[in-house]
Amino acid sequence: MFPQIARRLIEEFKPKNTNYIFDPYCGTGTTMLEAKLAKIESAGTDLNPMARLISVAKTTNYNIDKILHYRDSLSDDTFAYSFNKNKGALKLVDFKNIDFWFSRKSIFELTFLLNRIQDTIDEEYQDFFLVALSESFREVSYTRNSEFKLYRMPKHRMEQHKPDTFGIFFSKITRNIEGLKSLNDKDLDTYVHVHNFNTCHINPKEVLNREIDFVLCSPPYGDSKTTVAYGQFSRLSNQWLGVESASQIDNMLMGGNRKNDMIDFHSEYAKKELNEIKEEDAKRFIEVESFLNDYKSSIDNVAKAVRHKGRIAYVVGNRTVKGVQIPLDYITVELFEKNGFDHITTIVREIPNKRMPKANSPTNKKEKHHQQ
Ligand SMILES: C[S@@+](CC[C@H](N)C(=O)[O-])C[C@H]1O[C@@H](n2cnc3c(N)ncnc32)[C@H](O)[C@@H]1O
C-alpha cells in the first residue's frame, strides 16, 4: 500500500476520538508507520516473519548516531574480511538447496555479514541491519530478480553473475539511513505493536486486549500461490534467518489451505461471478472459495473487535480469474454489512496502464455511483 493512501485514509476517515488503529494484514507496516506519524497508537499482525521484521524496523525509533557507528564498524569488518586468510573458520549457514541458489563465495560473504550483525550489534539495533541484509539475499542469489516467484537464472547468466555482496548490502543501508533521517526529524514517541496471529482463527480482542477505533489495511486479494507469492518472494531471506516454516508460508496465508470438502462461501453481491468461475473451472473455483472462506472468517473476527461507531477501511484489488472479475470491493462491503456495519463509501483508484475491468462486472456498473 502506498503511504499516501494510508495517510489520506487516516486523515479523512478515522472516526472521532481515534486512539488505536489496527491492521490485520500489516505486511511491511505502512499503516502503522502512518499511524505513528499521526501520533496514534497502532498494532498490526502478519504471518510472514519477513514482513514482521520490516514492520518492526520501519517503526522503531533508532538513534541515528548509533546506526552510523554500527555501519562504520561493519564496514571496517568487511574490509578486514578481504585480507583474512582464515575464512574456512566460518561456520557457514546451510539449508536445503542453498547451493542451488547461491555461489560458495556468496554463502561465505553473506554468512560473514549475518554473523557480524548478530555478534556485534545490540539486539534492538540488529533488525535495522537484517532488513538490508534480507533484501541483499535475493539480489546476490541466482534468482531472476524481476519476478515475485522464485526462478533460477539460466546457466549462461549464472556464470556471469558476480555480485558485489558487500556493495549491495551497504547501498541498502545507505538508502535506509536516508529514510531514517527523514523520520528522526519528527517527534515519534507513539507505540506500535507487531503481532503474529491469524485473524481467520482469532478475535483480535483476545490478543490486543483493547477495542479498535479504526481498522486500516490492504488484505491479499487471492491466495498467495495464484496471486502475489509473498511466501516465495521472501523464502530465501526467511531461510537465511533460520525461519523453520520458510517454505510453507504461502500455505499458511489466506486461502493457502484448500479445503475441497468445506466450500460454503456464498455472496449475494458476487453470486453471478462465482457461478461463472464454477462453470468455467472447478479447480480454480475451489481456490477462490477457499480464499473467500478465510477472508470471511477474518472479517467476522475483525468486526467483533471494532468499538461502537468505529470504522474500517479496506484497500482491495478485484482480481480476474478465468476472465471473470471478482468484485472483492462488493464482497468486503457485504461481509461487514452482515456484521452490522454501514457502508460509507468506495473510492475507486485510477491505475494508469491497468487493463479496464470487464464491462459486465457489477463493480464497473456501480462505479459511476461511487463517491470518489
Ligand atoms: C497486500 S499485503 C499487505 C501490505 C501492507 N499493507 C504493506 O503496505 O506492506 C497482504 C499481507 O497479508 C499477509 N497475510 C496473508 N494472509 C494472512 C493472515 N491469514 N493473517 C495475517 N496476515 C496475512 C501477507 O503475509 C501479506 O504481508
Side-chain angles (χ1 to χ4, degrees):
M1 178 159 54
F2 292 123
Q4 292 85 343
I5 294 182
R7 194 170 309 155
R8 223 184 112 191
L9 290 170
I10 291 175
E11 275 166 15
E12 292 187 22
F13 291 98
K14 68 175 185 307
K16 271 189 201 145
N17 304 323
T18 293
N19 298 310
Y20 198 46
I21 295 181
F22 175 59
D23 185 342
Y25 329 96
C26 70
T28 58
T30 312
T31 293
M32 284 111 80
L33 181 57
E34 290 304 318
K36 185 170 167 139
L37 291 169
K39 300 192 190 313
I40 301 169
E41 196 172 334
S42 67
T45 178
D46 203 293
L47 301 183
N48 188 341
M50 191 50 51
R52 293 198 299 275
L53 172 75
I54 300 172
S55 279
V56 169
K58 211 150 115 178
T59 54
T60 297
N61 291 348
Y62 295 109
N63 175 313
I64 193 90
D65 293 329
K66 266 190 152 181
I67 293 279
L68 293 175
H69 161 76
Y70 287 132
R71 183 214 42 200
D72 292 345
S73 95
L74 275 178
S75 176
D76 291 346
D77 290 346
T78 52
F79 186 69
Y81 173 89
S82 329
F83 298 100
N84 183 359
K85 300 257 175 331
N86 194 21
K87 295 192 177 77
L90 266 182
K91 188 174 174 321
L92 295 182
V93 169
D94 193 16
F95 53 80
K96 196 172 165 216
N97 286 340
I98 192 168
D99 289 305
F100 183 83
W101 296 110
F102 296 90
S103 69
R104 277 278 110 184
K105 178 173 178 287
S106 303
I107 296 173
F108 267 94
E109 291 166 347
L110 292 167
T111 299
F112 176 76
L113 282 174
L114 181 61
N115 284 357
R116 295 314 291 166
I117 294 171
Q118 289 174 333
D119 294 347
T120 64
I121 296 181
D122 269 1
E123 215 171 316
E124 53 173 330
Y125 279 75
Q126 285 182 14
D127 289 348
F128 181 86
F129 293 92
L130 289 177
V131 166
L133 187 63
S134 301
E135 228 185 315
S136 311
F137 290 134
R138 197 155 164 133
E139 229 170 291
V140 170
S141 74
Y142 291 132
T143 51
R144 301 202 302 234
N145 273 310
S146 52
E147 280 156 270
F148 242 75
K149 291 200 170 160
L150 275 178
Y151 294 111
R152 196 166 72 159
M153 53 179 68
K155 260 233 140 50
H156 69 275
R157 280 203 40 222
M158 280 169 63
E159 281 151 18
Q160 294 156 7
H161 185 61
K162 308 243 179 295
D164 168 10
T165 305
F166 297 145
I168 291 171
F169 173 70
F170 283 107
S171 73
K172 314 268 176 227
I173 298 274
T174 306
R175 186 205 53 198
N176 292 352
I177 286 177
E178 285 313 306
L180 190 61
K181 277 184 188 156
S182 65
L183 289 179
N184 263 238
D185 295 341
K186 305 188 173 68
D187 173 21
L188 293 170
D189 281 340
T190 316
Y191 278 106
V192 171
H193 312 263
V194 181
H195 297 276
N196 170 22
F197 69 92
N198 190 343
T199 49
C200 300
H201 309 305
I202 292 173
N203 176 345
K205 239 187 210 173
E206 290 169 22
V207 181
L208 307 176
N209 281 321
R210 67 189 275 191
E211 286 197 313
I212 300 160
D213 300 309
F214 188 42
V215 175
L216 170 55
C217 63
S218 55
Y221 48 90
D223 66 290
S224 286
K225 280 186 204 144
T226 65
T227 55
V228 184
Y230 297 107
Q232 252 188 79
F233 184 73
S234 52
R235 196 181 84 201
L236 294 177
S237 302
N238 277 324
Q239 283 175 312
W240 268 96
L241 299 188
V243 172
E244 274 183 23
S245 53
S247 56
Q248 290 307 312
I249 289 174
D250 283 325
N251 296 335
M252 287 152 46
L253 302 181
M254 247 194 264
N257 181 12
R258 287 171 199 156
K259 310 165 205 92
N260 301 18
D261 52 340
M262 279 183 57
I263 297 306
D264 59 357
F265 181 80
H266 300 286
S267 160
E268 285 309 310
Y269 293 179
K271 212 182 214 161
K272 186 167 146 284
E273 285 76 6
L274 293 177
N275 275 335
E276 274 175 29
I277 297 172
K278 189 177 186 177
E279 277 166 24
E280 194 64 39
D281 188 330
K283 187 170 161 274
R284 298 290 276 150
F285 176 70
I286 289 171
E287 285 164 10
V288 170
E289 285 272 300
S290 298
F291 169 76
L292 291 172
N293 272 337
D294 282 351
Y295 192 58
K296 176 183 183 308
S297 309
S298 172
I299 286 185
D300 289 347
N301 277 322
V302 169
K304 283 183 209 139
V306 179
R307 68 141 154 102
H308 180 61
K309 292 203 182 240
R311 284 186 177 172
I312 68 104
Y314 271 47
V315 179
V316 301
N318 292 345
R319 71 182 296 215
T320 300
V321 173
K322 290 277 152 188
V324 181
Q325 197 184 46
I326 302 170
L328 196 62
D329 51 353
Y330 276 64
I331 292 173
T332 307
V333 170
E334 182 180 1
L335 291 173
F336 274 102
E337 280 176 350
K338 282 188 181 149
N339 278 289
F341 283 68
D342 294 324
H343 180 215
I344 299 175
T345 184
T346 298
I347 301 168
V348 181
R349 187 158 63 103
E350 300 290 336
I351 303 180
N353 302 326
K354 190 100 182 169
R355 269 191 300 158
M356 287 301 289
K358 281 192 71 147
N360 65 356
S361 150
T363 321
N364 205 25
K365 277 184 214 148
K366 293 194 183 172
E367 238 171 42
K368 296 186 192 82
H369 307 300
H370 290 166
Q371 284 174 260
Q372 300 238 5

